[in-house]
Amino acid sequence: MTTPARPRVGLLVTCLVDLFRPEVGFASVKLIEDAGCIVEVPRDQTCCGQPAYNSGDKATAQELARNLIALFEGYDYVAAPSGSCAGMLKVHFPALLADDPLWENRARRLAARSFELVSFLHDVLRVTKVAAAHAGTVTYHDGCSGLRELGIKGQPRALLGAVEGLALKELSAAESCCGFGGLFCVKYPEISNRMVGDKVAAVIDTGAATLLAGDMGCLLNIAGKLSRLGAAVHCRHVAEVLAGMANGPAIGQSAPAAKAPRPARPGS
Amino acid sequence: MQPTTKDFPENARRALGDVPLQAALGNIARGWQEKRTQAVAALPEFEALRTAAAAIKDHTIAHLDEYLERFESRVTEQGGTVHWCRSAEEARHTILAICHRLNARTVTKGKSMVAEEIGLNDFLGGHGIAPVETDLGEHIIQLRKEAPSHIIAPAVHLTQAQVAETFRAGHHGLPTNRRLDDARVLVDEARNVLRPRYFAAEVGITGANFLVAETGSAVIVTNEGNADLTQLLPKAHIVLAGIEKLVPTLEDAATILRVLARSATGQEMAAYTTFATGPRRARDVDGPEEFHVVLLDNGRSALLGTEFQDILRCIRCGACLNHCPVYTGIGGHAYGWVYTGPMGAVLTPALLGVAEAGHLPNASTFCGRCESVCPMRIPLPKMMRHWREREFAAHLAPHAIRRGLSWWAFFARRPALYRAAAGALARWLALMGGRLGYVRTLPLAGGWTAVRDMPAPSGRTFQQLWAMRAQPAAKKGSRP
């Protein structure tokens, strides 16, 4: 493939960013544009289909996968600010459409050009510097799909290392799941609560002021638990910090005044 | 063992509130995960060995009929007997018939998950034959009338204090002033009780880690040597094993042994690795007079050629359990049957049916840690998803989930409607969040808001804001 001087990148916004955290979408656009690409946002994108795929509704998942492939296959690259959604395109679409050779082929071609945002910046666009500063200590949660399906671990750390003033303190049990798991967290809430409880305990233990991660699912889960416990740790998507757009309210905080921490409630 | 897999959510809830259980489970993460990590780090070829081990099993499973027959003929040549059992019931009766023929009153047993699978202890007990578990963990849970909670560490759900209590209650004649506050003392106490029973047994039953086709050997791995005494001292040794335990050669067994203990306990090798080949020969100093292998199918061959075939590579090391955040949170008993953790979430629906065991493959975040540590590279999350597909296709998935999904899919298929709905939802959530920025209770999301807040969005979706930015790329963006 001959890559044009300025590659055209289709941004898969992801449904959680679209709904809960538009800032991450804008941060993604800025980071990819700063790296010399043209970013477009296909308007008709909805969802990568994971809720159906992981619930065993293969037919719906296939239909949504075909829609997304048709929408994105004209781009040089597809980037998503989520290891989970990128993993869906990169790893699962070809398997999901394996019973139709034509679509499997299209899925494979798209998979080869689809990337999670931070690994796209680091591995494909060879970004080593970012124009961002962030004073204070942060910790980082590795989302499971990004970590184990896509091998994303060093890339966010490398780019965070380029953020002026930022100090990274690693989590203990960093490779443990936060307990989100899509519908898992509502189907088995007690087990999910245990997992997110362990995760936020590790977050609080670091003493970091901010938790960063690359997936909105994990972030909503962890931010929601920290909020319920009244812990004053801010949660943000890693793209917000890398793009120098981490000045607004953190996830689960309202503008302009940050909420006051509340005491922990027993049993929560 | 009567399955309680249908009660998984209640079982899990109870387990999460069980203080001693939680204390015991804490040791798994701190102990075995760390030990495995160190053992793997110390062996540069570990990843290559995993690949080789998986390939050996794949080859064996692809030619299972041949290797099973070769194994049988080697066993027979050496004076042993192979019993082919299609079902748990056939296996139980085969074992009972051997015991009856030898007038057995006591049967010693090495740890065997297949024996649990076929409910052997209760069955033998019901026929007047006393099964004596000789593995320390199995001995403890036999005294407590419990099932194993882990495939290699059956009593991992218990604290040391609970073990001491169990011995006080179950070891008759134990002096009340005897100290039992130390692991070493507990092991000695168990040994004193078990020792005479080895000599009393007419039949010894063990499982097998491998069955070797080229030699007709059964290989068993322990850290206590109990399986050796179990199989050497009685008149007859019965090996009870699933048909997937076959490997072609001794070399193959040796390859897989290199990943087994490292994955299980972080040891390079278990303390004892014993190859049993046929009954005692003329010049042997010891050994059983009879050597039987009970080969159990019980639903395994039905997995051949299906999307679940890869689970037949499983060597029961327990690494997936030790690294599973669900297993280490709730322990094994909550799974409600013999096989637990990720491997159980795949195998149990195969053996009991997905209608019975549907919760197990659903109770996973697909975090993938199990697959990342599986020495046989079994794609456990993928197969759990396949069970969810079977469950969904059979209309067994919970009604609320199905209805919710179909509503969501209705919008996800229609981009314009989806955008409108997402916009409305963002506005509504922002209103609910108000000045707090988060929502404390949310209709239809009680599972979420019972334990955590729902961060509220700012009120507009990215798509709305992007369209407002009104740059040319956004307008032509729907078709590249």
Side-chain angles (χ1 to χ4, degrees):
Chain A
M1 187 176 76
T2 53
T3 308
R6 294 188 68 197
R8 282 172 68 244
V9 178
L11 181 70
L12 175 66
V13 180
T14 80
C15 46
L16 291 181
V17 166
D18 183 49
L19 184 62
F20 282 98
R21 198 70 179 164
E23 296 91 321
V24 177
F26 287 104
S28 305
V29 171
K30 177 175 188 298
L31 286 164
I32 301 169
E33 283 180 347
D34 285 355
C37 303
I38 300 164
V39 180
E40 292 178 23
V41 182
R43 194 159 172 259
D44 281 348
Q45 57 181 302
T46 59
C47 170
C48 67
Q50 275 193 82
Y53 183 56
N54 290 339
S55 300
D57 183 358
K58 198 173 167 182
T60 301
Q62 285 174 327
E63 188 184 338
L64 295 176
R66 286 191 294 260
N67 290 350
L68 215 61
I69 291 168
L71 209 52
F72 278 93
E73 63 191 346
Y75 293 102
D76 297 320
Y77 297 106
V78 181
S82 158
S84 171
C85 309
M88 187 70 187
L89 266 66
K90 216 167 168 52
V91 178
H92 297 285
F93 273 11
L96 179 61
L97 297 169
D99 52 8
D100 182 337
L102 188 73
W103 276 104
E104 188 194 9
N105 219 356
R106 289 171 75 174
R108 281 193 192 290
R109 283 201 301 267
L110 187 74
R113 288 178 285 122
S114 299
F115 297 90
E116 179 277 335
L117 173 73
V118 180
S119 57
F120 178 60
L121 295 170
H122 184 271
D123 300 344
V124 180
L125 302 178
R126 305 283 171 194
V127 172
T128 54
K129 294 196 180 79
V130 290
H134 188 94
T137 304
V138 305
T139 187
Y140 186 83
H141 168 66
D142 297 280
C144 295
S145 303
L147 179 67
R148 280 179 276 268
E149 282 181 357
L150 305 177
I152 297 167
K153 189 168 173 104
Q155 301 93 326
R157 287 166 177 80
L159 291 185
L160 286 171
V163 175
E164 196 190 316
L166 183 145
L168 177 69
K169 180 105 193 291
E170 293 287 353
L171 286 172
S172 64
E175 303 204 339
S176 296
C177 178
C178 72
F180 173 62
L183 288 172
F184 171 86
C185 69
V186 288
K187 283 198 287 188
Y188 300 97
E190 293 87 359
I191 304 173
S192 174
N193 182 42
R194 165 62 184 276
M195 290 162 71
V196 72
D198 288 350
K199 184 56 73 181
V200 299
V203 170
I204 293 168
D205 267 357
T206 63
T210 305
L211 169 94
L212 303 177
D215 278 87
M216 277 311 293
C218 313
L219 282 164
L220 291 170
N221 183 37
I222 296 169
K225 188 67 187 177
L226 283 165
S227 166
R228 180 62 57 93
L229 294 176
V233 181
H234 291 181
C235 296
R236 292 182 188 280
H237 194 284
V238 63
E240 298 174 44
V241 169
L242 295 178
M245 293 167 69
N247 304 317
I251 293 167
Q253 296 201 314
S254 61
K259 71 185 176 196
R262 286 165 294 120
R265 207 175 56 168
S268 55
Chain B
M1 175 178 177
Q2 201 57 39
T4 63
T5 46
K6 279 189 168 159
D7 304 327
F8 176 83
E10 290 76 39
N11 294 348
R13 213 167 290 144
R14 214 170 29 241
L16 287 163
D18 182 334
V19 176
L21 172 67
Q22 292 299 322
L25 291 172
N27 299 328
I28 297 180
R30 282 192 293 275
W32 288 342
Q33 290 181 11
E34 185 59 30
K35 284 180 185 151
R36 179 197 171 273
T37 304
Q38 288 167 6
V40 168
L43 188 69
E45 67 267 39
F46 188 78
E47 292 306 311
L49 276 172
R50 284 174 76 193
T51 305
I56 288 167
K57 276 286 188 180
D58 276 343
H59 168 84
T60 313
I61 291 161
H63 304 89
L64 193 55
D65 50 346
E66 272 176 57
Y67 286 117
L68 283 167
E69 288 184 354
R70 193 174 306 171
F71 175 76
E72 181 189 30
S73 58
R74 294 293 177 274
V75 171
T76 312
E77 281 162 24
Q78 288 164 107
T81 312
V82 169
H83 308 265
W84 301 83
C85 298
R86 272 167 300 202
S87 65
E89 197 187 358
E90 281 186 26
R92 285 191 295 262
H93 283 283
T94 301
I95 292 168
L96 182 66
I98 298 168
C99 293
H100 275 161
R101 186 168 49 73
L102 296 170
N103 295 315
R105 304 294 305 277
T106 304
V107 167
T108 42
K109 282 185 67 225
K111 211 190 94 54
S112 159
M113 292 311 292
V114 175
E116 297 293 328
E117 179 184 330
I118 67 171
L120 185 61
N121 283 4
D122 286 349
F123 180 76
L124 291 178
H127 287 82
I129 297 167
V132 176
E133 294 288 356
T134 62
D135 173 273
L136 175 59
E138 290 282 354
H139 171 65
I140 295 164
I141 60 168
Q142 188 174 31
L143 288 173
R144 296 173 65 93
K145 299 184 172 55
E146 287 178 354
S149 71
H150 187 290
I151 57 175
I152 69 160
V156 73
H157 58 286
L158 299 172
T159 60
Q160 194 174 302
Q162 287 174 303
V163 175
E165 280 165 32
T166 304
F167 284 1
R168 290 213 187 276
H171 286 183
H172 305 298
L174 178 70
T176 48
N177 60 353
R178 173 90 186 270
R179 281 178 51 233
L180 289 175
D181 54 0
D182 176 79
R184 179 74 246 171
V185 176
L186 288 168
V187 170
D188 288 343
E189 168 58 24
R191 179 173 287 159
N192 288 340
V193 168
L194 287 173
R195 201 84 187 170
R197 301 198 187 160
Y198 285 114
F199 296 97
E202 295 88 355
V203 172
I205 301 175
T206 68
N209 291 89
F210 308 101
L211 301 172
V212 183
E214 75 170 345
T215 58
S217 310
V219 185
I220 192 152
V221 170
T222 73
N223 275 320
E224 297 164 22
N226 61 304
D228 300 73
L229 293 174
T230 300
Q231 67 192 41
L232 287 174
L233 296 176
K235 230 180 280 181
H237 174 203
I238 302 175
V239 178
L240 170 60
I243 53 171
E244 81 282 13
K245 291 289 171 191
L246 260 287
V247 291
T249 66
L250 288 172
E251 186 68 37
D252 294 329
T255 299
I256 304 178
L257 279 168
R258 297 187 69 196
V259 295
L260 174 60
R262 286 181 169 91
S263 300
T265 52
Q267 294 166 285
E268 292 183 357
M269 288 282 281
Y272 298 84
T273 300
T274 305
F275 293 71
T277 312
R280 178 180 191 164
R281 286 160 299 191
R283 283 185 297 171
D284 287 348
V285 293
D286 53 18
E289 289 164 29
E290 297 184 16
F291 180 76
H292 299 271
V293 181
V294 174
L295 277 179
L296 180 71
D297 183 347
N298 205 28
R300 287 163 175 77
S301 61
L303 300 178
L304 293 168
T306 71
E307 64 268 49
F308 304 108
Q309 176 171 307
D310 289 345
I311 194 63
L312 297 176
R313 291 207 296 265
C314 177
I315 55 172
R316 309 288 192 269
C317 69
C320 61
L321 282 64
N322 300 343
H323 291 78
C324 175
V326 176
Y327 179 90
T328 54
I330 62 175
H333 287 157
Y335 289 78
W337 201 56
V338 176
Y339 299 108
T340 59
M343 61 76 61
V346 174
L347 192 57
T348 305
L351 302 182
L352 298 182
V354 73
E356 180 70 39
H359 273 300
L360 273 44
N362 275 287
S364 162
T365 61
F366 287 152
C367 83
R369 206 150 176 217
C370 49
E371 183 176 356
S372 75
V373 296
C374 174
M376 307 307 287
R377 297 195 188 283
I378 299 170
L380 292 155
K382 186 181 95 168
M383 287 189 287
M384 289 182 222
R385 187 183 290 108
H386 286 317
W387 280 122
R388 297 184 192 183
E389 283 166 7
R390 293 259 183 127
E391 187 187 47
F392 190 87
H395 297 274
L396 293 166
H399 185 65
I401 296 284
R402 293 182 69 90
R403 199 177 44 196
L405 268 178
S406 72
W407 268 106
W408 164 83
F410 177 85
F411 288 100
R413 283 194 199 96
R414 295 167 176 80
L417 258 181
Y418 181 91
R419 278 195 300 278
L425 187 57
R427 263 195 312 283
W428 180 70
L429 282 170
L431 276 173
M432 295 282 293
R435 288 167 59 184
L436 290 172
Y438 58 88
V439 185
R440 293 211 68 148
T441 57
L442 205 58
L444 305 176
W448 179 285
T449 53
V451 296
R452 48 175 108 57
D453 295 335
M454 174 68 85
S458 52
R460 286 188 196 277
T461 65
F462 175 79
Q463 290 282 13
Q464 289 171 331
L465 296 166
W466 183 254
M468 283 159 63
R469 212 177 82 149
Q471 66 171 34
K475 279 178 188 152
K476 68 172 190 191
S478 68
R479 278 315 285 196

